[in-house]
Amino acid sequence: KNEVEQSPQNLTAQEGEFITINCSYSVGISALHWLQQHPGGGIVSLFMLSSGKKKHGRLIATINIQEKHSSLHITASHPRDSAVYICAASGAGSYQLTFGKGTKLSVIP
Amino acid sequence: GAGVSQTPSNKVTEKGKYVELRCDPISGHTALYWYRQSLGQGPEFLIYFQGTGAADDSGLPNDRFFAVRPEGSVSTLKIQRTERGDSAVYLCASSLTVGVLETQYFGPGTRLLVL
């Protein structure tokens, strides 16, 4: 079974700071997902990637398949970025997602 | 268009009772997924459907849990003889089709509390 670990568990940043959230997984995957969960439970898919790097606005996701590691970066952070960020991996040949526990981000004005 | 909806939004029940949780996926989405999220944890996979059939139910914790999707659209997660440990947020998601790079669209969840 794939184990998905995220760090840090909690992160507090000042508005404008560059933020990095890390995700590592234990076995080979077919895709890595980054999700955002706001208070109240709503989950939004941010990225899916199987290699390289993707960018959307101020968000950047990278993955290193050899090192079984992915990072989510937020540039010029803003209080509205405050949420829980979750990474999830789908195993090779499986559509089942294994989730990390999430990183709670608080951006202070 | 409408997103994924789930009803009820909150459910309080007593230990030993039967509950049904409903998920309405986005129209036209053939894949539907159920997850469970306990407090302070990431979601945990329960089951997914491709059309009407359960393609993978390996995440269901025991035989008290069962899910159906008889017409390939709405799905119902059924929990028999509820236990306090079943208390969690039950999340539903749908995607246009099954694929490792298919975006899953999540519903708001049903918060289940078993007293």
Side-chain angles (χ1 to χ4, degrees):
Chain A
K1 183 180 174 180
N2 209 350
E3 301 291 334
V4 178
E5 300 287 339
Q6 285 186 240
S7 62
Q9 192 172 350
N10 291 281
L11 180 57
T12 300
Q14 291 288 329
E15 183 173 358
E17 285 186 4
F18 180 82
I19 289 163
T20 296
I21 299 171
N22 296 298
C23 177
S24 61
Y25 49 91
S26 59
V27 299
I29 63 169
S30 51
L32 194 289
H33 300 243
W34 282 102
L35 308 162
Q36 181 190 56
Q37 186 171 30
H38 279 284
I43 292 178
V44 174
S45 178
L46 298 175
F47 293 104
M48 287 174 297
L49 62 167
S50 56
S51 64
K53 175 180 174 179
K54 286 191 175 181
K55 184 176 188 293
H56 181 68
R58 294 181 294 105
L59 302 178
I60 303 166
T62 63
I63 189 167
N64 185 316
I65 298 295
Q66 288 73 30
E67 295 185 2
K68 297 187 175 63
H69 181 269
S70 176
S71 293
L72 176 68
H73 305 285
I74 305 175
T75 61
S77 59
H78 190 276
R80 65 174 173 265
D81 297 327
S82 298
V84 175
Y85 292 84
I86 303 171
C87 72
S90 54
S94 170
Y95 305 118
Q96 182 182 134
L97 290 179
T98 302
F99 294 80
K101 291 184 178 180
T103 294
K104 185 176 180 181
L105 172 65
S106 300
V107 181
I108 301 170
Chain B
V4 178
S5 62
Q6 292 186 245
T7 54
S9 54
N10 291 280
K11 176 71 177 178
V12 181
T13 191
E14 294 179 344
K15 180 174 177 293
K17 299 289 189 182
Y18 168 83
V19 296
E20 290 189 352
L21 312 179
R22 177 187 168 110
C23 172
D24 281 86
I26 292 172
S27 178
H29 280 196
T30 62
L32 185 148
Y33 310 79
W34 283 100
Y35 302 96
R36 177 169 71 173
Q37 187 173 24
S38 300
L39 193 63
Q41 303 294 314
E44 174 188 25
F45 170 81
L46 296 177
I47 184 172
Y48 90 87
F49 291 86
Q50 172 66 359
T52 60
D56 183 349
D57 65 357
S58 61
L60 295 177
N62 52 59
D63 62 6
R64 295 186 298 105
F65 289 74
F66 190 70
V68 295
R69 194 185 185 200
E71 297 178 359
S73 177
V74 170
S75 176
T76 304
L77 178 66
K78 307 180 181 192
I79 311 174
Q80 299 177 320
R81 305 183 303 281
T82 52
E83 299 178 356
R84 293 195 180 89
D86 299 335
S87 298
V89 176
Y90 289 81
L91 296 163
C92 174
S94 71
S95 61
L96 186 60
T97 184
V98 172
V100 295
L101 290 177
E102 283 291 327
T103 298
Q104 292 188 25
Y105 296 86
F106 285 79
T110 292
R111 192 173 301 272
L112 175 66
L113 178 61
V114 182
L115 300 176

